[in-house]
């Protein structure tokens, strides 16, 4: 499982020239006075003077007059004016980024980690970081960020002692959304997605480098984006489920615990949210904590998909303790024994330290 981060190689010059300065040079080279030029261009001497002084813009109408008198195309004049306006706006935003409140806002985010993943440029300049964070989140200002993420209704299930930092959580969610945008998704189909879940369940004994690309492709055919993103500092999540539109769902996994039982249960748990619950909520989940009725439904859904709840209850009633018993049951139902071990531990049938040798460990590939 890898995370392919892409950042644009855009470049914005840190200088610009007001078109009035260019106009003044043209008049000097041609030996034309401002008053004479004003008469030829049918402009007031005051307007020409203020344009040359950089106090008035070159409008489209003025640009046409300049083209007729001086021969330089109107679009060149309007282009210089646009460049100047954009430059002045950048200067104003850079000055605003030096405000203590803006610096404090930037400091909320895991800058170094986002830089290491290529999501932000390698710079310490507060203005550049502020601008890059806004682009990363797809907003125009810190207020726009608050408006966007403040509207998200997050159903966050977390442990009593560990709760994810909100800014880091939003950054992690955004990393997953950016990954999901690179996937081609069919229109969402609940029936198709249920069939996909039945199929991928048969892959639990395969290595992640074998099954994960196929999982992504199959889920995409049902309108569900599956992405995996390394957790950020202060994000203690195993997965999240959300909707990016009426026909696009996303299952976002962190591989936080790096064992196959946690991966597969998290995937199926989030799939349960997609199939069973409201579309205007972000479900952000950690394992091993008490949840409400919605989380219980997602847990039950995951158990049904992976092991079949009734079969598993009958197996638990026998109080299995040995690796041989777990392996036999796993072979019977067709899933990896590590998944069964994880569920036995969750239901306190065996201790958390027992039978872990039956689990497989998942690792991020080099460079992920």
């Amino acid at each position: 499982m890898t995370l392919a981060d892409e950042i644009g190689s855009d470049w914005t010059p840190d200088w610009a020239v007001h078109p009035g300065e260019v106009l003044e040079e043209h008049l000097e080279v041609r030996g034309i006075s401002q008053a004479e030029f004003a008469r030829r261009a049918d402009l007031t001497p005051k307007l020409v003077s203020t344009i040359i002084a950089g106090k008035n813009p070159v409008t489209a109408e003025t640009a046409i007059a300049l083209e007729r008198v001086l021969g330089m195309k109107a679009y060149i004049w309007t282009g210089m004016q646009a460049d100047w306006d954009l430059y002045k706006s950048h200067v104003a935003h850079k000055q605003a980024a030096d405000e203590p409140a803006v610096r404090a806002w930037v400091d909320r985010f895991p800058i170094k980690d986002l830089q290491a993943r290529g999501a932000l440029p390698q710079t310490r300049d507060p203005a550049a970081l502020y601008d890059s964070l806004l682009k990363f989140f797809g907003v125009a200002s810190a207020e726009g960020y608050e408006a966007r993420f403040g509207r998200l209704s997050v159903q966050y299930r977390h442990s009593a002692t560990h709760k994810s930092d909100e800014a880091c959580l939003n950054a992690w969610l955004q990393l997953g959304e950016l990954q999901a945008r690179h996937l081609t998704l069919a229109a969402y189909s609940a029936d198709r997605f249920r069939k996909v879940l039945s199929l991928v369940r048969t892959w639990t004994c395969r290595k992640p480098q074998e099954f994960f690309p196929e999982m992504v492709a199959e889920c995409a055919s049902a309108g569900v984006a599956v992405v995996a993103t390394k957790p950020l500092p202060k994000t203690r999540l195993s997965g999240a489920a959300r909707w990016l539109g009426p026909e696009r769902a996303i299952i976002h996994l962190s591989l936080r615990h790096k064992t196959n039982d946690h991966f597969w249960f998290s995937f199926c748990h989030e799939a349960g949210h997609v199939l069973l619950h409201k579309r205007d909520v972000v479900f952000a989940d950690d394992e091993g904590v008490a949840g409400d009725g919605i989380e219980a439904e997602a847990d039950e859904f995951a158990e049904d998909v992976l092991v079949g709840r009734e079969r598993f209850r009958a197996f638990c009633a026998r109080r299995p303790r040995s690796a041989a018993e777990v392996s036999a049951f796993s072979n019977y139902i067709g899933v990896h024994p590590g998944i069964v071990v994880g569920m036995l531990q969750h239901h306190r049938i065996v201790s958390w330290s027992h039978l872990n040798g039956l689990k497989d460990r998942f690792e991020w590939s080099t460079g992920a």
Side-chain angles (χ1 to χ4, degrees):
M1 299 171 212
T2 61
L3 168 60
D5 294 307
E6 295 183 5
I7 58 173
S9 57
D10 57 334
W11 174 78
T12 303
D14 59 357
W15 56 269
V17 175
H18 190 281
E21 186 176 332
V22 178
L23 173 59
E24 185 177 32
E25 291 177 357
H26 273 270
L27 297 184
E28 289 178 357
V29 169
R30 298 177 188 222
I32 303 175
S33 69
Q34 291 186 27
E36 174 63 20
F37 175 76
R39 285 191 290 271
R40 294 188 189 185
D42 194 22
L43 300 172
T44 67
K46 182 178 180 181
L47 177 59
V48 173
S49 175
T50 54
I51 289 175
I52 288 176
K55 296 178 181 179
N56 250 329
V58 171
T59 65
E61 286 298 319
T62 302
I64 291 175
L66 297 179
E67 177 182 332
R68 288 171 175 170
V69 176
L70 301 175
M72 184 184 292
K73 296 295 185 180
Y75 70 81
I76 298 178
W77 293 105
T78 56
M80 283 190 290
Q81 184 65 54
D83 288 342
W84 175 256
D85 292 341
L86 186 61
Y87 166 73
K88 294 294 288 183
S89 182
H90 275 301
V91 169
H93 280 283
K94 186 172 183 178
Q95 291 172 344
D98 286 331
E99 295 294 326
V102 175
R103 287 174 176 262
W105 185 82
V106 170
D107 288 341
R108 293 168 55 188
F109 299 96
I111 299 298
K112 290 183 179 180
D113 292 89
L114 291 173
Q115 288 175 327
R117 301 185 190 201
L120 298 180
Q122 296 292 332
T123 179
R124 294 183 180 180
D125 178 59
L129 288 173
Y130 178 62
D131 184 63
S132 297
L133 274 172
L134 296 180
K135 292 176 181 177
F136 169 69
F137 284 112
V139 295
S141 64
E143 291 74 19
Y145 165 87
E146 300 298 339
R148 178 191 174 189
F149 287 94
R151 293 179 61 188
L152 290 179
S153 177
V154 179
Q155 179 88 15
Y156 179 40
R157 182 179 70 154
H158 60 87
S159 68
T161 55
H162 299 293
K163 183 176 181 178
S164 292
D165 175 84
E166 182 179 299
C168 294
L169 168 61
N170 290 338
W172 183 78
L173 290 172
Q174 184 68 5
L175 285 171
E177 180 174 331
L178 293 176
Q179 282 183 269
R181 288 180 187 173
H182 291 285
L183 300 177
T184 301
L185 304 180
Y188 174 71
S189 168
D191 289 341
R192 170 64 183 160
F193 189 43
R194 289 181 184 276
K195 292 177 182 177
V196 169
L197 291 179
S198 295
L199 172 64
V200 299
R201 177 195 179 277
T202 65
W203 300 342
T204 61
C205 293
R206 297 168 62 184
K207 299 298 182 183
Q209 60 268 30
E210 298 172 358
F211 75 75
F212 193 68
E214 294 183 48
M215 172 187 281
V216 171
E218 289 292 341
C219 289
S221 74
V224 179
V226 176
V227 297
T229 310
K230 282 184 178 180
L232 289 168
K234 300 180 183 179
T235 55
R236 300 174 175 87
L237 300 175
S238 296
R242 59 190 294 208
W243 288 82
L244 302 179
E247 300 295 337
R248 299 179 65 210
I250 175 173
I251 291 177
H252 191 180
L253 303 170
S254 73
L255 199 60
R256 176 186 165 205
H257 296 284
K258 296 185 178 180
T259 56
N260 64 334
D261 62 313
H262 282 289
F263 171 86
W264 282 104
F265 193 87
S266 295
F267 168 73
C268 292
H269 177 98
E270 304 308 335
H273 283 313
V274 171
L275 284 164
L276 303 176
H277 301 136
K278 295 190 299 183
R279 298 190 179 190
D280 58 349
V281 175
V282 178
F283 297 97
D285 300 303
D286 193 6
E287 297 104 337
V289 296
D292 59 11
I294 289 177
E295 295 302 328
E297 287 179 357
D299 282 346
E300 292 172 1
F301 179 88
E303 282 194 9
D304 261 334
V305 169
L306 289 170
V307 298
R309 294 183 66 213
E310 294 304 319
R311 290 185 304 190
F312 184 66
R313 285 178 180 175
F315 180 62
C316 290
R318 290 154 43 188
R319 313 301 293 182
R321 291 290 186 274
S322 70
E325 290 174 291
V326 171
S327 295
F329 178 70
S330 300
N331 289 335
Y332 171 67
I333 64 173
V335 298
H336 193 284
I339 294 173
V340 177
V341 171
M343 290 187 178
L344 289 173
Q345 291 171 339
H346 176 74
H347 288 281
R348 304 296 193 270
I349 304 300
V350 300
S351 71
W352 292 104
S353 61
H354 194 48
L355 299 176
N356 286 321
L358 292 178
K359 297 181 182 181
D360 274 353
R361 187 166 179 80
F362 288 176
E363 296 288 352
W364 291 94
S365 60
T366 304

